[in-house]
Amino acid sequence: MAGNFTVLSLFSKLSLLFFINLFLSPLIEGKHGFSTHLIHRDTPKSPLYNPSNSYFETLNKAFHRSFSRAEYFKKRISQSHSKSLSDSFDGIQSHITSITGEYLIKVSIGTPPVDILAIADTGSDLTWTQCNPCRQCYEQSAPLFDPSKTSSYRKLSCESLLCTEVGTQTCDSENNCGYRVSYGDHSYSIGDLSAETFTFESSSGGSVSIPKVVFGCGHENEGTFNESASGIVGLGGGSLSLIKQLSGSIGGRFSYCLVPKDSGSDTSSKINFGTNAVVSGPTAVSTPLIKKNPDTFYYLNLEGFSIGNTRISNKGFSKLHNISSTAVEEGNIIIDSGTTLTYVPQELYQDLESQLSKIIRGTRVSDPLSIFGLCYKSERNIEFPKLVAHFTNADIVLAPTSTFLEVSEGMICLTIVPSDELAIFGNLLQINYLIGYDLVNGKVSFLPADCTKN
């Protein structure tokens, strides 16, 4: 019986991939590419930007969003280990909390197109936006998307293979597929699983229209969503994500280059798809993507760090999982654009902090908020060493400006923090790297870059 179930599951997955490529083909003529802008939520270009917050207040809020996001990631992974999504009481679970996205993306939906600004998230699969008629919606500054005013909108039936990926879907009297996404803070979105034309602004000018993108048209949306964001664009690795849906056109490839928030440049970060997302060059390195559950997240192998000639090995969460200290778990860290800080296992962090404290010549101070473990008084001549993060087959040099940050006036801290259960490679350490995800060949590539010029 179990063998039959495995065969049926494999057949279902293969059928789903065939359906996605058939349903969405041709999206963009041939296997082409395009690029668009990512807007950091705390920059003046973002409608979420609050000019009354000081630089340090803005940073502190980002750190707290990191902790919130990491906690929910833990819950999602724990849930995936204990039961399948199809048995979940809430149906499909989006893999982020509603308040923790760091980057926004502009997209237009429908024919004629309606502009929305949504959270671009590598930790979420389903793309959704608020729709009319709205039975219960959070306040939104932009007009709601109205499917009755577009010629390219249609609902998916309950027989649709993508509908089965929603988890415990609902069916109305006309056999339309309903979805529900719920979040760790009790926010939620409920509506119709639908297909529509999505149009992205190209950073090179003009626009790129993609027909038949499957998304959630939300008619009941409540919680702690911000009125300036109209929903979520899912960039995760699951079947419903925009990346998987466009796999036939973009070859399963996307990349981004994150600009330092305080660079002083007016340049936005950029996200690239398809041929535009190829990461190559003599200094480019690649590491394998590891397949694990939930498949939304992008898992890598972190082998450790080095400072100069000193190598610090990652022993993982061996004590927590009662495994040999030499048996480090495959896919032991998630790379995530929506988490600001980087989280590593306690033992790895302690070894790293110990080695750094021997090298850095400065006045060590305590973080009054107890967020950071290694902090120094901001002094004119203090110098911080370069760290190297060792992933399988890829060594990433981490600039001191990313690993050490002035987090409050007069105090500089290490932006790597300890965790008891989950490791995340956060966006501060990704700044000024062109980072490419290749889901077809199962790898993530890194290329040092000046992202203000990329």
Side-chain angles (χ1 to χ4, degrees), residues 1 62 100 103-104 148 221 226 302 330-331 344 350 360 375 380 396 438:
M1 184 70 179
T100 58
Y103 290 91
L104 303 173
S148 69
N221 317 284
N226 190 287
L302 177 65
E330 285 283 289
V344 298
Q350 289 167 1
I360 299 169
C375 298
R380 174 193 258 175
I396 311 301
D438 185 339

Side-chain angles (χ1 to χ4, degrees), residues 363-376:
T363 305
R364 191 163 174 178
V365 293
S366 296
D367 174 18
L369 299 178
S370 301
I371 294 175
F372 302 99
L374 184 63
C375 298
Y376 290 88

Side-chain angles (χ1 to χ4, degrees), residues 109-362:
I109 305 178
T111 309
V114 174
D115 292 344
I116 70 166
L117 196 63
I119 296 169
D121 196 71
T122 54
S124 183
D125 288 329
L126 182 67
T127 295
W128 65 265
T129 189
Q130 295 203 110
C131 292
N132 274 325
C134 205
R135 295 182 289 271
Q136 187 173 342
C137 282
Y138 63 90
E139 186 176 347
Q140 178 179 308
S141 54
L144 298 186
F145 175 68
D146 190 341
S148 69
K149 295 181 179 179
T150 167
S151 60
S152 47
Y153 174 86
R154 75 177 183 85
K155 297 178 183 178
L156 267 64
S157 75
C158 284
E159 278 72 39
S160 162
L161 283 172
L162 282 176
C163 183
T164 64
E165 291 297 303
V166 174
T168 309
Q169 73 273 26
T170 60
C171 294
D172 64 17
S173 58
E174 297 178 353
N175 202 35
N176 295 314
C177 179
Y179 78 91
R180 174 189 177 99
V181 287
S182 53
Y183 299 85
D185 61 354
H186 306 296
S187 302
Y188 63 87
S189 175
I190 301 171
D192 299 315
L193 197 64
S194 309
E196 182 56 285
T197 296
F198 276 46
T199 301
F200 293 88
E201 285 186 350
S202 173
S203 58
S204 60
S207 60
V208 176
S209 292
I210 306 169
K212 301 177 184 177
V213 173
V214 174
F215 76 111
C217 197
H219 300 293
E220 292 183 43
N221 317 284
E222 281 296 326
T224 57
F225 303 109
N226 190 287
E227 66 178 26
S228 297
S230 304
I232 289 172
V233 172
L235 301 173
S239 300
L240 282 167
S241 79
L242 188 66
I243 305 304
K244 281 294 181 73
Q245 289 191 56
L246 304 189
S247 59
S249 293
I250 65 172
R253 294 192 299 261
F254 75 101
S255 68
Y256 53 74
C257 205
L258 302 181
V259 173
K261 190 167 67 69
D262 58 348
S263 65
S265 169
D266 194 41
T267 305
S268 297
S269 298
K270 191 181 291 184
I271 185 166
N272 316 291
F273 299 90
T275 53
N276 286 28
V278 174
V279 177
S280 61
T283 58
V285 293
S286 299
T287 188
L289 268 173
I290 309 300
K291 293 184 178 180
K292 293 177 68 174
N293 286 322
D295 60 1
T296 298
F297 302 142
Y298 295 109
Y299 301 90
L300 308 178
N301 280 330
L302 177 65
E303 297 175 350
F305 294 100
S306 63
I307 310 167
N309 295 323
T310 302
R311 180 82 173 234
I312 303 165
S313 296
N314 181 11
K315 302 180 182 67
F317 299 102
S318 54
K319 293 179 182 177
L320 178 68
H321 299 300
N322 296 316
I323 60 175
S324 166
S325 61
T326 59
V328 179
E329 182 183 6
E330 285 283 289
N332 57 24
I333 192 165
I334 294 168
I335 180 169
D336 180 48
S337 65
T339 305
T340 300
L341 301 174
T342 289
Y343 297 81
V344 298
Q346 282 276 1
E347 189 172 356
L348 175 58
Y349 174 81
Q350 289 167 1
D351 292 345
L352 180 64
E353 180 186 307
S354 175
Q355 187 62 31
L356 284 169
S357 64
K358 293 176 184 177
I359 296 172
I360 299 169
R361 297 287 177 255

